[in-house]
């Protein structure tokens, strides 16, 4: 499959790849309740898709000795100690983060910058569907505001949280004991699951 992808982009000077793709469950679920088709799709898109597309562009970037790859992770897999009831999604985002940070070190010698970007909530389709959050606020930027901040950070650190209010949340969250964060995330997951079951 990667040969096909590489064939498609042969001859293109791909300077920057942004792996923004990402899917999650349609609603909060215990792992044993998640449909086979749902969780395998989350792994396929978030893990396999991100890895394959990254691999496909790296060859050309290595030849040209320049390029940037930005992988969009999530606070779900990095900022909070757990993300119950969206477990497979969170685990795939932890994968994206480690993939990016290791590639950052691996490909520096070829002049290629690989970065893991870690957003918290952004007012997109995904967040309105899964978290029932409508509209933007101080801590939930519009996609446009988030993208502006994200583009400014490309080429700097191996991992970043580009939007200032997300960084502030991460910083404040790091002061809270993990057991409290676990309990908070679990209560949110359970509320979202109950809403679906009894709506
Ligand atoms: N929104 C948040 O609060 C938030 C927080 C943390 C991390 N993230 C991450 O940010 C990224 C963007 O998410 P979003 O909130 O903008 O979600 P979204 O509105 O649902 O967008 C998801 C993106 O993935 C693409 N996509 C989904 N399945 C695909 C497939 N099988 N093949 C090709 N493309 C596919 C979609 O393409 P189409 O538009 O063509 O369907 C869309 O561009 C994701 O990686 C997500 O995990 C989002």
């Amino acid at each position: 499959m990667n040969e096909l992808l590489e064939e498609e982009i042969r001859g293109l000077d791909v300077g920057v790849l942004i792996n923004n793709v990402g899917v999650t469950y349609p609603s909060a679920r215990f792992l044993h309740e998640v449909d086979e088709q749902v969780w395998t799709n989350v792994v396929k898109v978030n893990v396999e898709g991100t890895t394959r597309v990254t691999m496909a562009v790296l060859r050309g970037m290595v030849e040209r000795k320049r390029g940037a790859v930005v992988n969009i992770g999530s606070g779900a897999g990095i900022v909070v100690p757990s993300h119950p009831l969206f477990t497979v999604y969170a685990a795939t985002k932890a994968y994206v983060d480690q993939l990016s940070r290791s590639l950052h070190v691996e490909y520096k010698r070829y002049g290629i910058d690989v970065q893991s970007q870690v957003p918290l909530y952004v007012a997109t389709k995904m967040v309105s569907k899964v978290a029932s959050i409508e509209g933007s606020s101080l801590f939930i930027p519009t996609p446009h505001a988030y993208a502006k901040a994200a583009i400014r950070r490309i080429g700097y650190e191996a991992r970043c949280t580009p939007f200032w209010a997300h960084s502030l949340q991460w910083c404040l969250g790091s002061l809270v004991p993990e057991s409290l964060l676990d309990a908070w995330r679990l209560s949110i997951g359970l509320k979202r699951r109950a809403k679906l079951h009894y709506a």
Side-chain angles (χ1 to χ4, degrees):
M1 187 199 273
N2 257 58
E3 293 80 47
L4 272 178
L5 259 177
E6 288 187 30
E7 189 56 43
E8 283 295 319
I9 61 170
R10 186 157 299 142
L12 288 180
D13 181 355
V14 180
V16 180
L17 166 70
I18 301 189
N19 275 315
N20 179 59
V21 73
V23 289
T24 185
Y25 311 168
S27 61
R29 289 268 191 280
F30 285 94
L31 186 60
H32 71 273
E33 298 171 333
V34 182
D35 290 344
E36 168 91 10
Q37 193 265 332
V38 168
W39 77 260
T40 53
N41 190 49
V42 171
V43 172
K44 200 169 184 57
V45 172
N46 298 2
V47 171
E48 194 182 334
T50 300
T51 310
R52 283 191 185 283
V53 177
T54 303
M55 284 178 83
V57 302
L58 277 175
R59 200 182 302 278
M61 288 182 176
V62 167
E63 282 163 11
R64 294 186 292 276
K65 292 205 174 342
R66 64 186 154 81
V69 177
V70 178
N71 291 330
I72 309 299
S74 169
I78 298 123
V79 173
V80 285
S82 69
H83 207 265
L85 282 76
F86 287 96
T87 294
V88 177
Y89 170 73
T92 62
K93 289 299 178 175
Y95 169 91
V96 168
D97 183 59
Q98 186 56 258
L99 175 81
S100 317
R101 297 184 74 188
S102 298
L103 291 179
H104 177 85
V105 177
E106 212 171 299
Y107 283 89
K108 209 178 185 64
R109 65 183 55 212
Y110 295 108
I112 301 165
D113 187 79
V114 184
Q115 187 179 60
S116 165
Q117 290 203 351
V118 186
L120 276 71
Y121 285 135
V122 178
T124 63
K125 260 190 318 191
M126 180 191 278
V127 97
S128 108
K129 198 166 117 195
V130 174
S132 308
I133 294 173
E134 298 295 343
S136 59
S137 61
L138 180 65
F139 288 106
I140 306 178
T142 61
H144 181 75
Y146 181 81
K148 258 177 93 173
I151 284 166
R152 273 195 223 113
R153 294 308 314 161
I154 297 175
Y156 292 98
E157 56 278 79
R159 177 208 267 165
C160 67
T161 299
F163 191 68
W164 70 271
H166 289 170
S167 303
L168 179 63
Q169 278 176 293
W170 190 344
C171 180
L172 294 175
S174 68
L175 306 173
V176 178
E178 287 200 351
S179 55
L180 284 185
L181 291 173
D182 284 343
W184 171 61
R185 287 312 318 177
L186 179 62
S187 74
I188 290 177
L190 290 172
K191 267 188 217 136
R192 286 184 188 154
R193 178 174 171 275
K195 220 176 182 176
L196 181 92
H197 279 253
Y198 304 110

